[in-house]
């Protein structure tokens, strides 16, 4: 899947103000200074050198211009580490539903869960959770989610990133985000996120440490859909449920109802 060619000059012009000092990340993982923006053909990401004071404003301003610039905003907390970046094409080679179905079979073999947790109520792979009949504006939902999420982050201020991704779901793959690597490669993560983007209007908001934040324009509303969606969360990120002594699969499913922001943590 391809999108508009990234316009780094337009992206770096910023809106409403010029962007703060930052660096480019090339496809081979090396860096390039902002002064070399006119030579940034191989760049896949730009990020601010320092955390920015008003990340909500910066994120929203970049989002308003993302269709024009081909650059998608993300708040990040890991600007100095990570594997070599990738491309949207890396996710093209992976089917998100197939990945989840394979992970289901692996889960069925291990059935890793605490004794007090009944786990998901399925004996066979139920397929993807169905999409709702209507999806509200995903971009507006993402702006609201950023405004609600960023002020509450325990990590404090965040760096601003601009990623040359064809779609929001591809941000982890293109950036080469290392946070989920112990369980799922960035390209496979983006492949699963694509299915959520298509079905629920999901948008990647930020990646801090080993945590991923995703807005959801149409979260599950009823018990059946929330349980089905909780299964996909479990397969993507088991630590969300089983790294907490107080969490169980049924409780987690209930908490997903009408929840506009999904967060994931990999150890």
């Amino acid at each position: 899947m391809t999108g508009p060619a990234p316009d780094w000059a337009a992206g770096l012009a910023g809106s409403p103000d010029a962007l703060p000092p930052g660096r480019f990340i090339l496809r081979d993982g090396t860096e390039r200074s902002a002064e070399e923006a006119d030579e940034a053909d191989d760049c896949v990401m730009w990020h601010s050198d320092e955390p920015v004071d008003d990340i909500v404003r910066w994120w929203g301003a970049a989002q308003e211009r993302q269709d024009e610039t081909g650059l998608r905003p993300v708040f990040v907390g890991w600007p100095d580490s990570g594997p070599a970046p990738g491309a949207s094409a890396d996710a093209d080679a992976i089917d998100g539903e197939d990945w989840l179905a394979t992970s289901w079979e692996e889960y069925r073999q291990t059935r890793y869960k605490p004794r007090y947790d009944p786990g998901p109520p399925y004996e066979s792979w139920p397929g993807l959770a169905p999409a709702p009949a209507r999806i509200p504006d995903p971009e507006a939902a993402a702006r609201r989610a950023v405004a609600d999420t960023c002020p509450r982050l325990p990590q404090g201020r965040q760096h601003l990133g601009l990623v040359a991704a064809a779609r929001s779901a591809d941000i982890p793959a293109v950036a080469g985000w290392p946070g989920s690597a112990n369980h799922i490669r960035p390209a496979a993560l983006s492949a699963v996120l694509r299915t959520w983007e298509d079905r629920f209007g999901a948008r990647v908001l930020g990646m801090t440490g080993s945590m991923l934040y995703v807005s959801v324009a149409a979260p599950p509303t009823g018990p059946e859909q929330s349980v089905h969606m909780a299964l996909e969360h479990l397969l993507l990120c088991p630590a969300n449920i089983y790294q907490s002594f107080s969490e169980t699969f049924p409780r987690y499913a209930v908490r997903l109802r009408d929840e506009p922001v999904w967060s994931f943590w990999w150890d």
Side-chain angles (χ1 to χ4, degrees):
M1 176 173 295
T2 60
D7 186 345
W8 293 103
L12 291 176
S15 176
D17 304 309
L19 289 176
R23 290 171 281 173
F24 290 98
I25 306 299
L26 277 63
R27 198 170 304 283
D28 62 4
T30 59
E31 296 183 357
R32 182 171 290 175
S33 69
E35 288 74 18
E36 301 171 296
D38 57 341
E39 303 174 5
D41 292 342
D42 294 330
C43 292
V44 296
M45 181 176 181
W46 172 94
H47 65 71
S48 62
D49 288 332
E50 302 293 337
V52 297
D53 289 323
D54 192 353
I55 188 64
V56 173
R57 180 176 67 89
W58 287 116
W59 196 101
Q63 186 213 40
E64 288 181 2
R65 306 185 67 205
Q66 64 185 5
D67 292 336
E68 170 193 348
T69 64
L71 304 172
R72 302 190 181 278
V74 62
F75 60 81
V76 296
W78 50 273
D80 296 316
S81 63
S88 290
D90 296 338
D92 291 343
I94 302 171
D95 184 281
E97 181 174 6
D98 287 348
W99 189 94
L100 289 169
T102 299
S103 296
W104 163 257
E105 294 304 325
E106 294 172 355
Y107 172 81
R108 287 268 297 167
Q109 293 174 14
T110 60
R111 285 289 186 181
Y112 171 72
K113 61 182 179 61
R115 294 179 181 177
Y116 57 81
D117 187 347
Y122 303 103
E123 291 302 321
S124 60
W125 170 240
L128 296 179
R134 187 182 72 86
I135 299 178
D137 182 356
E139 304 301 342
R143 289 192 296 273
R144 290 192 298 268
V146 165
D148 181 63
T149 300
C150 285
R152 297 187 289 110
L153 291 178
Q155 299 93 338
R157 296 186 305 158
Q158 300 296 315
H159 296 253
L160 174 68
L162 299 175
V163 183
R167 56 193 289 182
S168 177
D170 293 354
I171 288 175
V174 174
W177 182 57
S180 66
N182 287 343
H183 181 73
I184 179 173
R185 294 184 297 111
L189 173 59
S190 285
V192 174
L193 289 172
R194 284 180 176 188
T195 74
W196 293 354
E197 185 175 310
D198 293 339
R199 286 178 289 152
F200 307 108
R203 295 291 187 270
V204 172
L205 306 178
M207 305 174 293
T208 67
S210 58
M211 290 200 70
L212 173 73
Y213 296 87
V214 179
S215 66
V216 191
T221 57
E224 182 176 348
Q225 188 186 35
S226 63
V227 168
H228 202 157
M229 198 64 237
L231 173 63
E232 295 188 26
H233 282 217
L234 169 64
L235 299 176
L236 183 76
C237 183
N240 259 29
I241 299 176
Y242 296 143
Q243 287 290 342
S244 171
F245 292 111
S246 62
E247 190 67 279
T248 65
F249 182 88
R251 281 199 205 110
Y252 186 85
V254 169
R255 291 199 297 106
L256 281 185
R257 296 182 197 174
D258 300 308
E259 176 53 55
V261 180
W262 295 344
S263 62
F264 302 90
W265 171 76
W266 291 268
D267 58 8

